[in-house]
């Protein structure tokens, strides 16, 4: 834990010219973090995930020494997308070509101009259920990230892709990126938030993403986590939906030895809908832990969640999903489904789907299943002359096929299919 | 084509077939009849190589190849096909993709050029007509949301596409109404020729009315106790099986 204090002190030294409000916020957040420390197995919502490797680690905050020249071909780039590239926590402005009616500000600029937005008071009033030590840690040292704002009445035909690349580092680094995606009223856009690692040295990304959808807006948010197998990836994502808005999320995670993601989704106003599909494909000793809270705080909103895991070797997964339907809300329609395929006797899945319903006019469903490859299905395919490997591949691809249904962009679909089938090949071995 | 000699076999160590002999020549259709538990489905599973089903003693040869220890996919590539009694639903696996992959596995096995998507669509559309199936089934997942009759027709569609040498029809008539039964039987009859063989496993004579079997075998306690022509099936239909028990 000591390195957090050292890194925080030198971070403050280096950023003396930040405004007082922000410095105060950082200090307060850091105190909060130090008070609680990292979550332990005694914390109910964190009990299946062990953060001792972060405690024992010695990650240094990414510095100017980690600025490198962008590679000629950026890995993971999706054709026709507007690329925003961040390497080792350092934004590469030269590469970005953005369409009209979209403004970006580097994280720092946005903190300076909107300190109140980042204030604890603001966050606590809206996201009381979603704040945690990793959020505080991120606020104390948020050092990278971008705020992207799409103006009202804007329809973007091509996705905005943010690639957060960690590569060519000399020793173990950490970053605390803060992203803000704001979609104006009546606008439509696709955001790709893409984490990629290419290094044999360990690192720790502790991300926070705030997504705000304006009235009658429509957003596809694709989150891709392709960190290296030696990395740690912790994330807090917050989605606030205004009246009449629609959100589709595809969250595909294949990397990291330790991945914990807290997802908070809130219907702030009536007549909105959100579909959240998530896929984790893991092997070796990877651990993927995802927790989602969907708050139905307004009338006539609809939410669908589908979380799927395929686990091989000694990997483990956690799904913790909660739907809260608040008192006095009407006509809520909420569905939650979690399905897991366990390929090895040593792999482990913990699933905990929950509903908290305080209103009467609701339609809710939830369920979770964990099983192995159906031997009947396997024999059926083999009996038609398909090899064991091909049969397994078909069954697993079939299992995950509905996850990508929410992706409307052809190029993104192709990319997701490509990395999923590569990962399936790897975990089948 | 298929020769079974004094076969003792079972599932998970329990003997179900007790000295079964059967010889199927090219062009023949053999019907195997028997009560529940007589070993009919075990025979089908043993020939196709399902896990957990083991040969205790005896031999099964297919065109001179010993099938014992041969993986189910290799048997399929050699030309053995089973129309499943309970076709399996495979969520998310597209019917067309699956069937083309199966056909290509076979073409590859015989060192032939794989079929491309366009040629395959032409081929499959022809085959669909033969079993009176709508094209919409092609875009669905394998057997997903299919009725009992549609699943059985899908099995016959696969048979017609893969063109096996030996087809085992495991209770293909069960769960079919008379119209569907006629379609399935016609699919099989049109496919019959002097090189292809069939084993039809059934409880009832009903299917055989439409299929003209060359031989009828009665299976009791894992053994063929009597063989004959279609008149044997008619006799069983009238008198049941008990008169055949020793």
């Amino acid at each position: 834990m000591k390195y957090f204090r050292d890194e925080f002190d030198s971070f403050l030294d280096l950023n003396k010219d930040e405004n007082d409000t922000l410095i105060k916020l950082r200090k307060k957040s850091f105190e909060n973090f130090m008070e609680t420390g990292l979550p332990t197995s005694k914390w109910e919502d964190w009990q299946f995930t062990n953060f001792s490797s972060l405690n024992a680690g010695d990650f240094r905050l990414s510095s100017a020494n980690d600025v490198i020249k962008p590679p000629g071909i950026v890995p993971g780039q999706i054709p026709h997308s507007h690329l925003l590239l961040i390497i080792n926590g350092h934004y590469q402005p030269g590469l970005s070509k953005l369409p009209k009616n979209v403004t970006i500000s580097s994280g720092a600029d946005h903190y300076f101009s909107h300190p109140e937005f980042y204030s604890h008071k603001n966050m606590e009033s809206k996201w009381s259920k979603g704040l945690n030590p990793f959020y505080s840690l991120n606020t104390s040292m948020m050092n990278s990230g971008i705020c992207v704002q799409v103006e009202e009445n804007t329809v973007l035909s091509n996705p905005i892709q943010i690639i957060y690349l960690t590569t060519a580092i000399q020793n173990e680094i950490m970053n605390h990126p803060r992203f803000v995606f704001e979609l104006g009223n009546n606008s439509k856009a696709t955001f790709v938030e893409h984490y990629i690692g290419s290094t044999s040295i360990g690192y720790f990304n502790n991300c926070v993403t705030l997504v705000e959808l304006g009235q009658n807006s429509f957003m596809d948010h694709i989150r891709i986590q392709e960190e290296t197998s030696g990395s740690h990836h912790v994330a807090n994502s917050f989605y606030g939906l205004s009246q009449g808005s629609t959100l589709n999320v595809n969250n595909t995670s294949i990397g990291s030895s330790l991945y914990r993601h807290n997802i908070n989704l809130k219907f702030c106003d009536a007549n909105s809908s959100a579909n959240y599909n998530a896929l984790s494909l893991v092997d070796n000793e990877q651990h993927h832990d995802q927790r989602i809270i969907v708050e139905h705080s307004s009338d006539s909103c609809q939410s669908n969640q589908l979380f799927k895991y395929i686990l091989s070797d000694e990997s483990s997964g956690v799904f913790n999903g909660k739907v809260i339907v608040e008192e006095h809300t009407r006509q809520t329609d909420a569905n939650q489904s979690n399905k897991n395929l366990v390929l090895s006797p040593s792999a482990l899945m913990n699933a905990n789907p929950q509903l908290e319903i305080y209103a009467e006019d609701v339609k809710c469903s939830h369920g979770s299943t964990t099983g192995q490859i159906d031997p009947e299905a396997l024999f059926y395919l083999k009996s038609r002359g398909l090899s064991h490997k091909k049969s397994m591949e078909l069954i697993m691809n079939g299992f995950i096929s509905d996850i990508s249904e929410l992706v409307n962009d052809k190029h993104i679909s192709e990319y997701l299919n490509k990395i999923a089938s590569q990962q399936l090949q790897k975990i089948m071995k | 084509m298929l020769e079974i000699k004094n076969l003792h076999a079972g599932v998970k160590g329990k003997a179900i077939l007790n000295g079964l002999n059967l010889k199927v020549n090219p062009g023949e259709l053999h019907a195997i009849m028997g009560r529940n538990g007589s070993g009919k489905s075990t025979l089908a599973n043993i020939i196709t190589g399902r896990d957990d089903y083991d040969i205790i003693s005896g031999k099964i040869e297919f065109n001179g190849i010993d099938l014992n220890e041969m993986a189910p996919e290799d048997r399929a590539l050699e030309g053995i096909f089973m129309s499943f009694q309970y076709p399996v639903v495979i969520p998310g696996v597209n019917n067309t993709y699956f069937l083309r992959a199966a056909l290509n596995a076979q073409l590859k096995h015989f060192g032939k050029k794989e079929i491309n998507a366009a040629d395959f669509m032409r081929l499959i559309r022809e085959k669909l007509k033969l079993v009176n199936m709508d094209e919409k089934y092609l875009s669905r997942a394998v057997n997903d949301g299919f009725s009992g009759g549609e699943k059985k027709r899908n099995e016959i569609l696969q048979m017609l596409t893969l063109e096996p040498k030996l087809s085992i029809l495991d209770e293909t008539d069960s769960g079919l109404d008379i119209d569907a039964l006629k379609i399935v039987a016609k699919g099989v009859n049109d496919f019959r020729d002097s090189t292809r063989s069939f084993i039809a496993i059934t409880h009832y004579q009903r299917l055989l009315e439409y299929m003209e079997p060359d031989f009828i075998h009665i299976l009791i306690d894992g053994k063929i106790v009597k063989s004959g022509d279609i008149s044997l099936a008619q006799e069983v239909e009238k008198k049941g099986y008990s008169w055949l028990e020793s």
Side-chain angles (χ1 to χ4, degrees):
Chain A
M1 280 290 280
K2 188 175 171 297
Y3 70 94
F4 287 119
R5 166 73 69 191
D6 297 343
E7 290 303 309
F8 180 64
D9 289 345
S10 44
F11 179 77
L12 283 189
D13 267 355
L14 277 170
N15 295 279
K16 282 199 190 96
D17 54 345
E18 284 189 340
N19 67 44
D20 290 346
T21 324
L22 183 56
I23 291 176
K24 233 169 96 186
L25 172 67
R26 290 190 186 281
K27 284 183 171 166
K28 176 85 176 69
S29 301
F30 193 71
E31 274 166 38
N32 286 349
F33 170 70
M34 290 306 277
E35 221 169 86
T36 56
L38 293 168
T40 71
S41 58
K42 294 199 178 83
W43 298 28
E44 199 191 342
D45 293 338
W46 302 77
Q47 56 181 321
F48 297 112
T49 300
N50 183 343
F51 293 103
S52 58
S53 54
L54 284 181
N55 259 329
D58 188 10
F59 297 96
R60 127 191 109 64
L61 203 57
S62 170
S63 68
N65 294 335
D66 301 303
V67 178
I68 61 156
K69 203 173 147 256
I73 296 167
V74 179
Q77 190 176 354
I78 287 164
H80 305 296
S81 66
H82 304 286
L83 177 67
L84 301 171
L85 179 63
I86 299 169
I87 303 179
N88 300 337
H90 303 278
Y91 176 47
Q92 312 281 329
L95 293 173
S96 312
K97 284 187 208 105
L98 278 176
K100 269 198 308 189
N101 304 333
V102 177
T103 48
I104 60 164
S105 28
S106 75
D109 289 347
H110 199 251
Y111 320 147
F112 293 148
S113 51
H114 300 78
E116 71 294 342
F117 181 82
Y118 295 89
S119 72
H120 259 280
K121 203 172 138 206
N122 185 40
M123 283 302 289
E124 265 169 4
S125 64
K126 195 164 175 184
W127 299 111
S128 60
K129 292 182 179 69
L131 301 185
N132 55 53
F134 289 104
Y135 176 80
S136 300
L137 183 65
N138 176 284
T139 309
S140 70
M141 288 189 265
M142 50 188 178
N143 63 339
S144 54
I146 297 177
C147 170
V148 184
Q149 289 160 308
V150 179
E151 284 176 24
E152 292 187 357
N153 306 312
T154 304
V155 174
L156 298 184
S157 43
N158 292 325
I160 295 172
Q161 184 184 22
I162 294 158
I163 294 184
Y164 199 93
L165 174 66
T166 306
T167 186
I169 48 175
Q170 303 306 315
N171 42 32
E172 297 197 328
I173 64 163
M174 64 175 168
N175 272 307
H176 302 276
R178 175 71 63 112
F179 290 106
V180 179
F181 305 146
E182 286 180 355
L183 192 53
N185 295 344
N186 309 310
S187 290
K188 186 176 177 182
T190 299
F191 283 82
V192 182
E193 182 185 349
H194 194 166
Y195 297 88
I196 305 185
S198 169
T199 169
S200 57
I201 295 170
Y203 60 94
F204 168 35
N205 278 334
N206 177 35
C207 324
V208 171
T209 303
L210 293 157
V211 181
E212 294 285 346
L213 277 78
Q215 290 178 12
N216 303 313
S217 66
F218 188 106
M219 183 191 286
D220 280 350
H221 180 210
I222 288 87
R223 190 183 199 280
I224 311 172
Q225 191 268 87
E226 285 187 272
E227 305 276 30
T228 67
S229 58
S231 68
H232 300 70
H233 186 103
V234 177
N236 282 287
S237 300
F238 301 88
Y239 297 90
L241 281 82
S242 303
Q243 179 147 1
S245 57
T246 306
L247 170 71
N248 289 323
V249 182
N250 177 295
N251 174 1
T252 299
S253 309
I254 59 178
S256 271
S257 57
L258 177 64
Y259 168 53
R260 162 76 185 208
H261 192 181
N262 294 288
I263 302 143
N264 299 276
L265 199 154
K266 190 166 186 165
F267 294 104
C268 310
D269 229 322
N271 296 313
S272 296
S273 77
N275 301 297
Y276 198 106
N277 284 2
L279 175 66
S280 266
L281 303 173
V282 288
D283 68 350
N284 293 324
E285 287 176 347
Q286 282 184 285
H287 179 78
H288 277 198
D289 176 355
Q290 299 185 89
R291 174 178 174 77
I292 180 166
I293 299 177
V294 174
E295 287 181 79
H296 279 269
S297 328
S298 303
D299 292 349
S300 306
C301 291
Q302 196 190 23
S303 68
N304 292 300
Q305 300 167 43
L306 177 62
F307 279 75
K308 287 192 170 182
Y309 291 67
I310 299 184
L311 305 114
S312 170
D313 302 331
E314 264 103 64
S315 63
S316 49
V318 182
F319 169 71
N320 213 320
K322 192 187 272 185
V323 174
I324 303 169
V325 183
E326 285 178 9
E327 219 180 327
H328 310 305
T329 55
R330 289 173 306 170
Q331 299 194 316
T332 290
D333 186 347
N335 305 294
Q336 183 189 62
S337 171
N338 165 233
K339 290 179 180 169
N340 314 305
L341 197 53
V342 177
L343 302 182
S344 130
S346 323
L348 180 70
M349 182 69 205
N350 277 295
N352 187 14
Q354 305 163 63
L355 295 176
E356 275 182 23
I357 301 173
Y358 302 103
E360 285 181 2
D361 186 6
V362 292
K363 202 173 110 193
C364 278
S365 70
H366 73 157
S368 173
T369 57
T370 298
Q372 295 159 324
I373 294 265
D374 176 11
E376 292 290 317
L378 195 58
F379 176 66
Y380 188 78
L381 297 179
K382 286 183 185 181
S383 80
R384 302 308 188 232
L386 297 173
S387 67
H388 179 79
K389 192 165 167 267
K390 182 77 185 172
S391 302
M392 292 279 286
E393 215 180 287
L394 274 183
I395 292 171
M396 288 196 284
N397 275 309
F399 175 77
I400 66 172
S401 64
D402 50 355
I403 288 287
S404 55
E405 278 171 7
L406 295 177
V407 180
N408 293 305
D409 183 276
K410 187 179 85 178
H411 300 289
I412 299 173
S413 278
E414 278 168 12
Y415 185 80
L416 291 175
N417 289 340
K418 189 185 85 185
I419 60 167
S421 49
Q422 280 169 355
Q423 179 71 356
L424 284 180
Q425 293 281 346
K426 180 172 166 274
I427 69 179
M428 272 192 328
K429 276 188 274 285
Chain B
M1 170 99 44
L2 181 77
E3 189 158 17
I4 302 177
K5 286 179 199 158
N6 195 24
L7 182 70
H8 292 257
V11 57
K12 291 175 183 163
K14 188 180 164 240
I16 296 174
L17 300 180
N18 300 300
L20 187 136
N21 292 291
L22 179 68
K23 191 169 182 207
V24 180
N25 292 312
E28 292 175 354
L29 192 157
H30 291 242
I32 308 232
M33 299 183 73
R35 288 196 188 109
N36 280 336
S38 58
K40 302 189 301 292
S41 283
T42 299
L43 177 62
N45 287 321
I46 282 282
I47 299 172
T48 47
R50 188 191 286 257
D51 278 351
D52 299 334
Y53 286 80
D54 294 310
I55 294 177
I56 300 159
S57 65
K59 215 167 194 182
I60 310 181
E61 278 183 4
F62 179 70
N63 288 333
I65 310 168
D66 186 356
L67 288 187
N68 198 8
E69 304 295 328
M70 197 173 182
E73 57 271 33
D74 296 329
R75 301 181 195 206
L77 294 174
E78 287 301 323
I80 296 176
F81 177 90
M82 172 159 76
S83 164
F84 279 56
Q85 183 179 2
Y86 304 109
V88 185
V89 176
I90 308 179
V93 176
N94 175 273
N95 220 8
T96 313
Y97 182 85
F98 154 61
L99 205 43
R100 185 158 80 95
L103 182 58
N104 276 334
Q106 200 185 80
L107 291 168
K108 208 175 147 196
H109 176 72
F110 289 107
K112 291 184 190 157
K113 201 173 152 258
E114 295 190 2
I115 187 164
N116 65 36
D119 289 343
F120 182 76
M121 285 313 290
R122 267 190 289 276
L123 174 80
I124 198 75
R125 283 197 185 104
E126 273 171 40
K127 307 286 182 190
L128 275 171
K129 278 185 217 144
L130 299 176
V131 283
N132 209 6
M133 273 173 88
D134 195 283
E135 252 183 63
K136 70 178 187 226
Y137 295 108
L138 294 177
S139 54
R140 294 227 211 128
V142 179
N143 295 321
D144 201 2
F146 285 31
S147 71
E150 286 161 355
K151 283 181 185 169
K152 294 293 172 82
R153 273 189 275 167
N154 195 28
E155 295 291 288
I156 300 303
L157 174 73
Q158 293 176 31
M159 181 187 82
L160 297 175
T161 309
L162 298 174
E163 303 193 337
K165 294 176 186 133
L166 173 67
S167 302
I168 300 163
L169 310 172
D170 189 7
E171 309 224 2
T172 298
D173 50 338
S174 69
L176 289 186
D177 60 38
I178 195 73
D179 292 330
L181 182 68
K182 281 182 183 167
I183 293 166
V184 164
K186 189 176 180 304
V188 173
N189 288 334
D190 292 348
F191 184 57
R192 284 187 72 174
D193 69 16
S194 62
T195 62
R196 297 198 177 99
S197 309
F198 297 83
I199 297 175
I201 288 169
T202 179
H203 275 283
Y204 307 106
Q205 180 219 345
R206 201 174 67 140
L207 175 76
L208 308 176
E209 284 173 16
Y210 299 96
M211 274 192 190
E212 297 179 26
D214 301 296
F215 299 95
I216 308 284
H217 308 282
I218 308 297
L219 196 62
I220 292 179
D221 293 336
K223 248 183 175 165
I224 290 174
V225 295
K226 197 169 175 63
S227 299
D229 60 16
I230 186 75
S231 64
L232 178 60
Q234 287 153 355
E235 208 173 347
V236 165
E237 192 79 5
K238 233 180 278 163
K239 294 169 35 186
Y241 291 103
S242 40
W243 64 282
L244 291 160
E245 280 166 330
S246 50

